[in-house]
Amino acid sequence: MAFDIEMIKAVYDRMPARIAAARALTGKPLTLTEKILYSHLWEGTPSTTFTRGGSYVDFAPDRVAMQDATAQMALLQFMQAGRPQVAVPSTVHCDHLIEAKVASTTDLKVAVDKNKEVYDFLSSVSDKYGIGFWKPGAGIIHQVVLENYAFPGGMMIGTDSHTVNAGGLGMIAIGVGGADACDVMAGLAWELKFPKLIGVKLTGKLNGWTSAKDVILKVAGILTVKGGTGCVVEYFGEGATSMSCTGKGTICNMGAEIGATTSTFGYDDSMARYLESTGRADVAALANGIREHLTADYEVYANPEAYFDQVIEIDLDALEPHVNGPFTPDLATPISKLKELAIKNNWPTKVEVGLIGSCTNSSYEDIARAASLAKQVAAKGLKTKAQFTITPGSEQVRYTIERDGFISTFDSIGATVFSNACGPCIGQWARPGAEKGEKNTIVHSFNRNFAKRADGNPNTYAFVASPEIVTALAIAGDLTFNPLTDTLTNEKGEQVKLEAPTGDELPKLGFAVEDAGYQAPAEDGSGVQVKVALTSDRLQLLAPFSAWEGTDLKGLKLLIKAKGKCTTDHISMAGPWLKYRGHLDNISNNMLIGAVNFFNEKTDNVKNQLTGVYGAVPDTQRAYKAAGIGTIVVGDTNYGEGSSREHAAMEPRHLGVRAVLVKSFARIHETNLKKQGMLALTFVNEADYDKILEDDNINILGLNDFAPEKSLTIELTHADGSTDSFPVNHTYNAQQIEWFKAGGALNIIRASIK
């Protein structure tokens, strides 16, 4: 039986009536997205309609999922909420803190020893508050959720931007910061601006070398990294129904790379097959009983332009495999054009490492198709030219692919199998020689390829592709190799051509596993002691942030004016810093160290206006804090793109930054700033970015009348005594303004239980 089956039954029992009410209120057929959103309103049965991209709406998600890096701060916050147990089914997954270095068994043992106090904390806090705990080695959160918890028509939030992966099973699953998760676990409503809708019609059928990954790589090229901001992407058409469930998950997973709130697919036979194969035939039976409510109304897909804000059509019969990058996941190149562009742009063409797996592409089908290519290495007398690694998504997948011979196939080509964890995808890769900073190329089936992300080397050119294309390029060792048309020279000097990959959607013998790695919480956690040592440098209990002082903010200094792309990796790096995710003061020493200073084009080098000396960003900010001086951070477009990590908002808050002013925000980061009591502001006129100078004194005026849709004013006093002022916008609603005044949303929760 599936986890939380009674909860799923309750969701399905109320869906038909709520959808009917929403259809009557709106007076039109409904998309799948609208059906799920309207059936998960905090108020229950819908009583009003909402404006896409305009209305803030309170929702009641069905469940919460957290990975170990973000769960630490989420649960440290939840501990302050004063609740005896989580209000909705919740889980913690230990996947981020395992470094890939040698091989799976060795790396896992090292991680368990090195991270013992963090794992003990997460295990004990889960035990106390009724949270399911997935131990180190159990797998990557999103794969484990897809295998165990995701269900069609459900609504979930998770403290990781790739929570959206569960859209492959027809959910509305959304990445959030830990403060949002804390709200829902505490039994409160979760707020989201009602999204706009993008429809993607898939015609034809995937074939040959083309896979589901190529669909989202193509979409990323169309929409760019910010084209999906504020939107849900809903896929439909014959191409969608002909695709595997895990293929759908891959597409939804990388929806995070276009800034989408989430992505989803309507319920179909592939989802039923996957549910049954993963031991959830009971969920499939329930879903089959309300099938019409788990996809859009017929009229929507028949005439999509009338129901979506934007419609994209992709013919899968004509779709080419794509390779995206380097340095950004939206630079999309069809495989037939890759050689030309690589030579034109002077990209390193020797492929040093090919890496497959991660939460994006670690399904049985993905591994099977890659293995079919690996088998051809010996059969055709070839040798693999690049290093090759596999990161299984879960212990269930790993155990099954070992049983079915795929791991031995990979062993035969010299591959390394890393632990069932995030590993290189999030910078947890102890890559030999990366510290030399040499220019080189890697190809991987992960989701993000920002500079320094995988191995810490800013000169590593990382390209994103399907597991099949990654495997082929690793075999060839050449970025310019096109496996659809080109041949390779084998050990006998013969020209041989790789045959198109093949692989079963699901294991013929079914999935198998000896120990999936799940630990159920105590039935009564009231006596459980949460383990946090006061002397720890890994964990730190939180103290409340101060409330707003009730005045305009004057005499602020400019901490940094960031130039160009500034993702959450730039604001709060992962990699070796992951060990401090539960210690706010220690991890704050990585604040904005990756951001490029507009005034000198250096990273981690800003001017301290108190001394005139240039130094590290965190050190400079700590000097301002010690002097009782607030600061402001200025940024470019899509500021905070990437991960959901709320540390990127909590660190500046902790160190005394008062406001972040940018041309535009990524959705999750803007919300995280608001939750922590920060001011998240945007330029009315983007050209005003240029008015901000390095030695400015800055005032933020109008806060005594802070109100929704009412601009604030920035007043600059330059070093020469001249002044500038200009209006700035914000998206705060009345509730969010109260968060600011209280010093953070958690302060309001805490006050409500006194």
Side-chain angles (χ1 to χ4, degrees):
M1 179 180 287
F3 286 97
D4 309 309
I5 191 67
E6 294 304 318
M7 178 269 285
I8 297 171
K9 287 179 180 176
V11 171
Y12 286 175
D13 284 346
R14 61 180 177 251
M15 278 189 83
R18 292 187 178 186
I19 290 170
R23 193 181 292 116
L25 283 167
T26 60
K28 67 176 185 64
L30 299 177
T31 64
L32 170 64
T33 302
E34 290 169 318
K35 288 182 177 183
I36 299 176
L37 292 177
Y38 274 107
S39 63
H40 282 85
L41 297 177
W42 182 254
E43 67 175 334
T45 302
S47 62
T48 186
T49 59
F50 303 105
T51 302
R52 294 180 188 173
S55 302
Y56 281 100
V57 183
D58 285 342
F59 291 101
D62 301 314
R63 66 178 314 112
V64 172
M66 297 164 281
Q67 41 93 336
D68 51 355
T70 53
Q72 295 171 64
M73 198 58 69
L75 292 173
L76 285 166
Q77 291 177 86
F78 179 76
M79 287 169 63
Q80 295 186 63
R83 303 298 199 257
Q85 196 169 40
V86 291
V88 301
S90 303
T91 52
V92 167
H93 304 260
C94 295
D95 62 358
H96 271 55
L97 300 178
I98 302 169
E99 185 179 54
K101 185 175 183 179
V102 180
S104 56
T105 303
T106 301
D107 293 345
L108 180 59
K109 184 179 185 302
V110 169
V112 168
D113 291 342
K114 183 164 53 172
N115 302 309
K116 184 178 187 304
E117 67 173 313
V118 173
Y119 293 146
D120 285 349
F121 163 69
L122 292 173
S123 174
S124 64
V125 76
S126 297
D127 208 24
K128 183 175 184 65
Y129 293 109
I131 299 168
F133 181 72
W134 290 82
K135 293 179 284 189
I140 305 172
I141 176 173
H142 312 302
Q143 180 69 24
V144 173
V145 165
L146 197 71
E147 292 175 0
N148 294 277
Y149 298 112
F151 65 97
M155 186 181 203
M156 178 178 76
I157 61 170
T159 60
D160 189 286
S161 56
H162 292 104
T163 299
V164 294
N165 188 80
L169 253 174
M171 289 194 90
I172 290 292
I174 300 174
V176 299
D180 278 353
C182 178
D183 284 357
V184 174
M185 290 189 293
L188 303 178
W190 175 64
E191 182 187 73
L192 177 73
K193 184 177 283 188
F194 204 85
K196 293 186 177 180
L197 303 180
I198 298 174
V200 179
K201 182 178 182 180
L202 303 178
T203 62
K205 188 176 182 179
L206 294 171
N207 59 85
W209 284 91
T210 309
S211 74
K213 184 65 165 273
D214 299 304
V215 175
I216 187 57
L217 295 178
K218 173 76 171 178
V219 170
I222 295 169
L223 290 175
T224 77
V225 292
K226 58 184 179 181
T229 303
C231 300
V232 172
V233 183
E234 186 171 321
Y235 292 85
F236 62 95
E238 62 180 350
T241 56
S242 68
M243 195 181 296
S244 69
C245 176
T246 50
K248 294 178 174 71
T250 292
I251 291 170
C252 293
N253 181 290
M254 267 195 75
E257 276 52 73
I258 57 173
T261 301
T262 192
S263 306
T264 196
F265 286 78
Y267 179 66
D268 62 19
D269 290 344
S270 73
M271 295 184 191
R273 291 193 298 271
Y274 186 74
L275 287 168
E276 291 163 358
S277 183
T278 52
R280 292 173 289 168
D282 47 356
V283 178
L286 291 172
N288 288 334
I290 62 162
R291 197 176 184 115
E292 66 184 281
H293 301 296
L294 300 177
T295 189
D297 289 335
Y298 170 79
E299 297 91 337
V300 172
Y301 295 160
N303 185 23
E305 287 77 10
Y307 301 98
F308 292 98
D309 298 289
Q310 180 181 354
V311 176
I312 297 168
E313 186 167 337
I314 297 175
D315 179 2
L316 301 186
D317 289 332
L319 181 65
E320 275 191 71
H322 277 60
V323 179
N324 286 25
F327 305 126
T328 185
D330 60 348
L331 181 56
T333 304
I335 192 78
S336 62
K337 303 290 185 184
L338 187 59
K339 180 177 181 178
E340 175 187 339
L341 281 182
I343 294 170
K344 177 182 176 181
N345 293 304
N346 196 32
W347 296 336
T349 57
K350 181 185 177 184
V351 175
E352 302 286 349
V353 190
L355 307 98
I356 67 169
S358 86
C359 67
T360 317
N361 280 108
S362 57
S363 68
Y364 183 88
E365 180 181 37
D366 289 328
I367 303 300
R369 285 170 63 85
S372 75
L373 294 170
K375 287 179 181 177
Q376 296 180 46
V377 172
K380 295 181 181 293
L382 294 165
K383 282 191 176 179
T384 306
K385 299 292 180 63
Q387 296 177 47
F388 191 67
T389 73
I390 302 99
T391 307
S394 70
E395 174 58 15
Q396 179 167 268
V397 166
R398 189 213 61 80
Y399 189 95
T400 304
I401 64 173
E402 182 175 45
R403 179 202 66 190
D404 291 353
F406 298 154
I407 287 183
S408 62
T409 296
F410 291 128
D411 285 343
S412 72
I413 66 168
T416 299
V417 179
F418 287 136
S419 298
N420 313 321
C422 299
C425 182
I426 60 161
Q428 285 283 58
W429 183 21
R431 183 184 180 190
E435 71 283 353
K436 298 176 184 177
E438 294 174 338
K439 188 175 178 180
N440 74 104
T441 282
I442 64 173
V443 290
H444 61 59
S445 68
F446 309 156
N447 38 53
R448 292 185 179 139
N449 56 345
F450 304 142
K452 301 175 72 172
R453 180 172 174 91
D455 63 2
N457 178 3
N459 298 312
T460 292
Y461 285 59
F463 295 85
V464 182
S466 67
E468 300 92 320
I469 294 297
V470 169
T471 306
L473 293 178
I475 292 169
D478 185 355
L479 189 66
T480 69
F481 174 66
N482 181 352
L484 284 73
T485 58
D486 298 348
T487 58
L488 294 169
T489 304
N490 69 8
E491 295 295 290
K492 297 179 180 179
E494 302 165 334
Q495 294 301 302
V496 295
K497 193 169 183 292
L498 294 175
E499 298 162 25
T502 59
D504 292 329
E505 171 187 331
L506 296 164
K508 286 186 173 69
L509 300 177
F511 285 104
V513 67
E514 287 185 347
D515 179 7
Y518 175 69
Q519 173 184 297
E523 289 188 19
D524 178 6
S526 59
V528 176
Q529 294 297 311
V530 176
K531 299 176 182 178
V532 179
L534 295 178
T535 56
S536 174
D537 72 342
R538 299 279 307 264
L539 296 164
Q540 179 187 47
L541 295 176
L542 295 176
F545 290 131
S546 299
W548 173 55
E549 54 267 64
T551 63
D552 287 338
L553 303 182
K554 296 183 177 181
L556 305 179
K557 302 295 186 184
L558 175 68
L559 175 61
I560 187 171
K561 181 177 175 179
K563 180 179 179 180
K565 186 185 282 286
C566 193
T567 71
T568 49
D569 281 86
H570 296 87
I571 304 167
S572 175
M573 287 186 177
W577 291 94
L578 282 171
K579 66 182 178 181
Y580 296 126
R581 283 287 182 85
H583 197 294
L584 182 55
D585 193 59
N586 283 345
I587 198 169
S588 293
N589 289 321
N590 79 358
M591 184 189 72
L592 284 159
I593 63 175
V596 176
N597 183 357
F598 177 90
F599 297 106
N600 60 14
E601 302 208 352
K602 295 181 179 179
T603 59
D604 201 23
N605 190 264
V606 295
K607 186 176 183 179
N608 181 335
Q609 290 189 50
L610 303 179
T611 63
V613 176
Y614 285 83
V617 181
D619 292 345
T620 304
Q621 180 57 38
R622 287 184 186 276
Y624 287 134
K625 182 178 181 180
I629 296 172
T631 59
I632 183 170
V633 169
V634 175
D636 214 314
T637 59
N638 207 33
Y639 184 89
E641 167 195 342
S643 168
S644 69
R645 67 191 66 154
E646 66 182 339
H647 298 77
M650 294 187 78
E651 291 172 31
R653 180 72 168 103
H654 172 65
L655 292 184
V657 176
R658 301 304 301 271
V660 179
L661 170 62
V662 301
K663 295 178 181 177
S664 64
F665 283 106
R667 176 192 63 84
I668 300 176
H669 186 62
E670 182 180 23
T671 300
N672 286 344
L673 289 169
K674 292 177 179 180
K675 283 279 187 176
Q676 300 303 332
M678 294 277 285
L679 280 176
L681 308 173
T682 56
F683 293 98
V684 173
N685 180 358
E686 291 187 0
D688 289 335
Y689 171 90
D690 298 322
K691 294 179 180 178
I692 298 174
L693 305 180
E694 191 171 33
D695 294 305
D696 284 347
N697 278 320
I698 304 168
N699 298 332
I700 303 175
L701 308 177
L703 288 172
N704 288 316
D705 300 312
F706 195 12
E709 301 181 8
K710 185 176 182 180
S711 296
L712 300 173
T713 299
I714 295 289
E715 185 177 80
L716 307 175
T717 300
H718 304 304
D720 63 3
S722 63
T723 61
D724 268 310
S725 66
F726 50 84
V728 290
N729 285 333
H730 65 83
T731 60
Y732 288 75
N733 60 23
Q735 176 177 262
Q736 294 166 351
I737 290 172
E738 292 306 310
W739 299 344
F740 168 73
K741 291 179 178 179
L746 187 57
N747 288 349
I748 294 177
I749 298 175
R750 187 185 298 107
S752 71
I753 63 170
K754 290 181 179 178

